[in-house]
């Protein structure tokens, strides 16, 4: 479905890189699943997220490993079933579990990971959407607003895009530009 890399910048300075792939497994309309994985490298740490989602982008399973140097700082593994997201987090300090009640259509968006916004755009929803942020142990209600046709510059080229805004009640809005296939072009 999509594969590539993002340069991650803050205030115009490059601070990291994300290399990702999103694959669709065959299975017809009702049994299609997506498998999204990445390596996200920052100067001080590396994240390795892997998400399995249904045809609508809702999570089935999620895992992420965070390393600083060669040392694993955090490993989270979660499963979704019967309206619950159950996660186990292992760190050098020990192990903890967390369980969330999740509404139908929930999305997983991990901090510092950008290819997952594909599932926001791919769902083609508008209005309120439940979002689980696993490493923060948080479940939020965010609002999706489709701002329609726009353009974005990628590698010096103007590309037609659809502009979607994900509103967070705390004010941390995310502007997302995607192409006609919902492939993420830019996140701000």
């Amino acid at each position: 479905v999509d594969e590539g890399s993002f340069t991650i910048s803050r205030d115009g300075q490059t601070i990291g890189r994300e290399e990702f792939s999103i694959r669709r497994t065959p299975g017809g309309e009702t049994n299609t699943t997506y498998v999204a994985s990445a390596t996200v490298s920052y100067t001080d740490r590396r994240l390795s997220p892997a998400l399995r989602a249904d045809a609508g982008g809702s999570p089935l399973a999620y895992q992420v490993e965070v390393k600083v140097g060669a040392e694993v700082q955090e490993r989270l593994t979660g499963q979704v079933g019967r309206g619950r997201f159950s996660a186990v987090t292992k760190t050098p300090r020990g192990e903890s579990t967390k369980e969330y009640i999740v509404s139908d259509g929930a999305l997983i968006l991990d901090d510092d990971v950008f290819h997952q916004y594909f599932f926001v755009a791919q769902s083609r929803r508008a209005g309120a959407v439940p979002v689980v942020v696993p490493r923060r142990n948080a479940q939020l209600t965010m609002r999706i607003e489709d701002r329609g046709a726009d353009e974005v510059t990628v590698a010096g080229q103007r590309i037609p895009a659809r502009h979607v805004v994900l509103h967070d009640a705390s004010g941390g809005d995310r502007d997302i530009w995607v192409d006609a296939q919902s492939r993420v072009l830019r996140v701000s």
Side-chain angles (χ1 to χ4, degrees), residues 43-81:
T43 54
D44 60 341
R45 69 195 185 292
R46 189 176 78 221
L47 291 79
S48 300
L51 170 64
R52 194 167 49 89
D54 67 16
S58 295
L60 301 169
Y62 184 66
Q63 64 184 31
V64 62
E65 182 178 83
V66 180
K67 286 185 173 183
V68 174
E71 185 177 324
V72 175
Q73 292 294 306
E74 179 180 18
R75 182 176 287 128
L76 179 139
T77 305
Q79 298 289 324
V80 176

Side-chain angles (χ1 to χ4, degrees), residues 5-172:
S5 64
F6 294 116
T7 298
I8 304 167
S9 60
R10 181 177 293 128
D11 299 325
Q13 299 294 314
T14 298
I15 61 167
R17 184 149 196 88
E18 178 173 330
E19 295 183 11
F20 69 94
S21 73
I22 302 171
R23 306 221 184 280
R24 181 176 31 236
T25 62
E29 272 306 301
T30 58
N31 293 326
T32 296
T33 58
Y34 290 96
V35 178
S37 59
T39 300
V40 187
S41 300
Y42 291 91
T43 54
D44 60 341
R45 69 195 185 292
R46 189 176 78 221
L47 291 79
S48 300
L51 170 64
R52 194 167 49 89
D54 67 16
S58 295
L60 301 169
Y62 184 66
Q63 64 184 31
V64 62
E65 182 178 83
V66 180
K67 286 185 173 183
V68 174
E71 185 177 324
V72 175
Q73 292 294 306
E74 179 180 18
R75 182 176 287 128
L76 179 139
T77 305
Q79 298 289 324
V80 176
R82 295 188 301 249
R84 297 187 183 281
F85 177 71
S86 302
V88 176
T89 303
K90 296 178 183 178
T91 69
R93 296 173 307 282
E95 182 175 299
S96 66
T97 60
K98 182 79 173 178
E99 189 169 87
Y100 307 92
I101 295 173
V102 291
S103 303
D104 286 342
L107 299 172
I108 284 186
L109 295 174
D110 207 333
D111 291 326
D112 302 323
V113 177
F114 299 97
H115 72 281
Q116 294 170 349
Y117 289 100
F118 165 84
F119 296 104
V120 172
Q122 189 265 343
S123 71
R124 299 247 179 220
R125 289 184 270 180
V129 62
V131 175
V132 174
V133 186
R135 292 184 307 120
R136 258 199 278 157
N137 286 324
Q139 182 173 353
L140 314 168
T141 299
M142 300 178 112
R143 190 171 51 83
I144 300 172
E145 176 189 356
D146 190 334
R147 292 209 177 148
D150 200 350
E151 284 187 341
V152 66
T153 301
V154 176
Q157 293 184 13
R158 297 293 293 167
I159 299 172
R162 182 168 58 102
H163 184 186
V164 177
V165 179
L166 188 60
H167 297 282
D168 184 341
S170 68

Side-chain angles (χ1 to χ4, degrees), residues 166-187:
L166 188 60
H167 297 282
D168 184 341
S170 68
D173 292 351
R174 292 137 180 101
D175 287 272
I176 307 155
W177 289 268
V178 298
D179 68 8
Q181 289 80 40
S182 298
R183 295 178 298 203
V184 177
L185 301 170
R186 181 177 179 184
V187 177

